[in-house]
Amino acid sequence: MNFLNKRTDALKKLEYFIEKNLLEYTKLRNFDFGTQNRKNISCLSPYVTHGVINEKEIINKVLKKHLFGKSEKFIQEVLWRIYWKGWLELRPDVWSDYLINLKIYREKYKNNKNYFNAMSGNTSIQCFNDWVKELKEKNYLHNHTRMWFASIWIFTLDLPWELGAEFFLKHLYDGDSASNTLGWRWVAGIQTPGKHYLASEWNIKKFTNNRYEKVKLNESAKPKISNKTYSISKNDFLNPEIIDGKILLIFDNNLSFEISDFQDKKFNKILIVNSNERRDILLSDRVMKFKESLLQDQLERLKNLSKDCKIIKIEDIKKYSDIIYALYPSVGENLDFINSNKLKNIQFLYRKIDQLSWQYCNKGFFNFKNYIPKIIQNIS
Ligand SMILES: Cc1cc2nc3c(=O)[nH]c(=O)nc-3n(C[C@H](O)[C@H](O)[C@H](O)COP(=O)(O)OP(=O)(O)OC[C@H]3O[C@@H](n4cnc5c(N)ncnc54)[C@H](O)[C@@H]3O)c2cc1C
């Protein structure tokens, strides 16, 4: 399975999945049949993370073809991403604390042999070694495999989740600050305190379709504990009134401006920001190239709308002192850059689907799920 790098490729993938495989999703989604057989899942996350296709268009296309009752599980998963994002937006310190702790663990583990063996796929656990290779070469792992991987990393190899989350972000094409950080916290047992995810021999055997047997793991580990609690920050995510003729910035999480809520507004210039500079977490060359090609594809499509759009480096946004707008980059490294440079002239534009959804992210996903019909009704 390869990930091509254009919006047209992503749309084809989505349409094929809706047409051929979506109705089997609920039954088969938890199986990792291996890299040559990914029909049971959509493999859309590298595109959705970059906004090359977005959740609203996915849901609308799904519901054009299938009844909600038949596609509910898939729609729920699509909205999990928005839920995790909203959860982190309401508690941005979880991200900043993650980066602080990551630095501490990097230093502490800089000569740790187990850590380097894990990252080079040189452990005594064959499936884990294979997944390391797959992660580095395919830049994607099945969701269940991500759970097993993280669980083995934390509970059997006894390594800090923070370093594992960094390893994922470095190599995943869909690397995303919210889904990744909170996914790892969830496996560790600190996202839902006291509830961890323990990978087990039988579960791996069954859901890899017997590809891996007799996997020896620590199946009795206790959840990790964090004493830190986070209160909910106040942010109403309201959009400013847009003045015509200003500049718009697009970061690498929103690469389909032409179908965005703001497509009809008159921006003077559109600048797509190459966010690969000045990162705390360095991305692999393959991920960098994937991002660059997606940015380039957005540029080509934008040239039909506005001739003066271009790709700039993130530090160049400091050159603009007048008001500029930015499609909201969300909690993560791009927003950190804006905040740490105190770029107060940048006004954020929030997507309607986020504005609608994030108000329900103060509690758990089971609570959020109740609002899904309401969210869908208001976006379509
Ligand atoms: C430890 C860990 C780390 C993860 N890191 C990331 C990450 O960096 N980036 C990322 O996009 N996802 C991450 N996920 C979530 C999930 O594994 C991927 O989104 C999913 O595997 C993508 O494959 P797919 O597109 O075939 O998903 P499908 O099953 O086809 O789902 C459709 C879409 O729903 C969304 N989705 C599905 N499952 C989840 C989930 N559990 N959380 C959030 N959104 C979901 C994705 O946008 C996905 O494209 C992580 C999960 C875990 C357990």
Side-chain angles (χ1 to χ4, degrees):
M1 177 211 35
N2 288 318
F3 291 101
L4 303 172
N5 51 24
K6 294 202 176 350
R7 175 167 153 80
T8 46
D9 302 320
L11 285 172
K12 266 191 222 150
K13 215 177 178 66
L14 171 62
E15 263 143 36
Y16 188 86
F17 178 75
I18 292 175
E19 197 65 41
K20 306 273 184 202
N21 301 318
L22 187 141
L23 291 178
E24 296 272 84
Y25 180 77
T26 311
K27 195 168 83 190
L28 297 178
R29 58 185 277 273
N30 280 327
F31 284 89
D32 183 343
F33 294 112
T35 56
Q36 300 307 313
N37 184 356
R38 292 272 183 241
K39 285 191 187 140
N40 55 325
I41 44 168
S42 72
C43 292
L44 287 169
S45 53
Y47 306 110
V48 192
T49 290
H50 292 99
V52 171
I53 52 175
N54 66 40
E55 294 89 342
K56 175 179 157 184
E57 79 178 320
I58 295 177
I59 293 170
N60 285 340
K61 279 185 199 289
V62 166
L63 290 176
K64 248 190 185 163
K65 174 81 191 168
H66 302 292
L67 292 172
F68 180 68
K70 300 259 177 212
S71 53
E72 186 174 2
K73 189 69 201 164
F74 182 69
I75 291 176
Q76 268 176 17
E77 294 301 313
V78 169
L79 289 171
W80 252 109
R81 164 188 298 281
I82 292 189
Y83 168 75
W84 275 148
K85 275 213 176 296
W87 193 97
L88 194 60
E89 289 300 330
L90 297 179
R91 303 155 185 89
D93 289 351
V94 171
W95 170 250
S96 34
D97 283 352
Y98 164 61
L99 291 181
I100 292 167
N101 290 331
L102 177 61
K103 285 201 181 93
I104 297 169
Y105 283 117
R106 274 187 197 142
E107 186 56 30
K108 207 168 154 191
Y109 281 73
K110 68 178 181 206
N111 297 317
N112 183 295
K113 216 168 150 222
N114 280 347
Y115 171 46
F116 285 93
N117 283 342
M119 286 195 299
S120 57
N122 194 17
T123 70
S124 60
I125 307 163
Q126 189 54 46
C127 56
F128 184 88
N129 298 342
D130 291 350
W131 296 329
V132 168
K133 190 165 183 277
E134 186 181 336
L135 175 64
K136 287 179 179 171
E137 290 177 3
K138 303 282 181 192
N139 307 91
Y140 174 89
L141 290 176
H142 184 284
N143 180 57
H144 214 160
T145 302
R146 294 181 201 211
M147 289 157 59
W148 296 322
F149 187 114
S151 183
I152 294 171
W153 178 284
I154 299 166
F155 299 114
T156 297
L157 301 176
D158 203 19
L159 294 167
W161 71 265
E162 289 86 348
L163 292 175
E166 176 180 47
F167 187 54
F168 264 23
L169 276 186
K170 188 179 172 73
H171 293 289
L172 283 172
Y173 277 162
D174 64 24
D176 170 83
S177 41
S179 292
N180 192 55
T181 313
L182 305 182
W184 277 85
R185 279 172 51 94
W186 177 81
V187 172
I190 53 177
Q191 183 65 18
T192 314
K195 283 196 184 161
H196 57 338
Y197 175 77
L198 267 187
S200 65
E201 187 183 343
W202 77 264
N203 188 267
I204 293 178
K205 180 176 182 312
K206 174 173 175 186
F207 288 103
T208 58
N209 208 21
N210 301 320
R211 287 184 302 121
Y212 294 104
E213 294 182 290
K214 301 193 173 62
V215 187
K216 289 285 154 268
L217 302 175
N218 180 355
E219 296 193 19
S220 58
K222 296 271 175 290
K224 298 289 165 190
I225 293 168
S226 163
N227 296 323
K228 184 106 194 231
T229 52
Y230 294 91
S231 50
I232 292 182
S233 70
K234 290 250 172 301
N235 189 342
D236 42 20
F237 309 111
L238 291 178
N239 284 330
E241 200 168 315
I242 299 176
I243 306 166
D244 283 349
K246 302 285 178 189
I247 290 172
L248 176 73
L249 298 177
I250 300 180
F251 291 92
D252 60 353
N253 62 326
N254 265 308
L255 297 178
S256 54
F257 172 75
E258 67 275 26
I259 56 146
S260 74
D261 299 339
F262 309 98
Q263 56 176 300
D264 296 332
K265 303 288 176 197
K266 292 191 179 66
F267 296 104
N268 180 25
K269 228 186 225 165
I270 299 180
L271 306 175
I272 307 168
V273 182
N274 181 346
S275 62
N276 295 321
E277 315 267 325
R278 297 169 172 272
R279 282 181 172 271
D280 264 323
I281 296 176
L282 295 178
L283 306 181
S284 73
D285 285 349
R286 290 174 60 83
V287 173
M288 299 270 276
K289 286 206 180 91
F290 184 67
K291 274 185 189 293
E292 276 156 22
S293 59
L294 295 179
L295 294 176
Q296 196 58 41
D297 181 49
Q298 166 72 108
L299 183 68
E300 299 304 324
R301 285 179 278 122
L302 278 174
K303 277 184 178 160
N304 300 327
L305 292 180
S306 146
K307 292 228 160 11
D308 55 4
C309 56
K310 60 179 177 182
I311 297 178
I312 59 163
K313 294 205 158 141
I314 196 160
E315 52 258 47
D316 289 345
I317 63 181
K318 289 196 275 186
K319 290 182 189 156
Y320 299 92
S321 52
D322 190 15
I323 292 179
I324 46 180
Y325 298 103
L327 299 183
Y328 184 56
S330 290
V331 170
E333 297 228 32
N334 290 327
L335 186 62
D336 290 346
F337 181 86
I338 294 173
N339 289 340
S340 61
N341 285 285
K342 302 189 173 54
L343 303 176
K344 302 273 185 237
N345 58 321
I346 297 182
Q347 298 196 2
F348 294 126
L349 305 181
Y350 300 96
R351 304 186 312 170
K352 190 173 171 200
I353 192 169
D354 295 331
Q355 290 176 314
L356 281 168
S357 309
W358 290 353
Q359 59 184 311
Y360 306 122
C361 296
N362 48 348
K363 296 188 187 152
F365 186 73
F366 284 96
N367 176 63
F368 178 86
K369 260 190 344 196
N370 298 326
Y371 297 97
I372 288 181
K374 194 169 168 187
I375 293 167
I376 292 176
Q377 205 178 13
N378 285 294
I379 52 160
S380 42

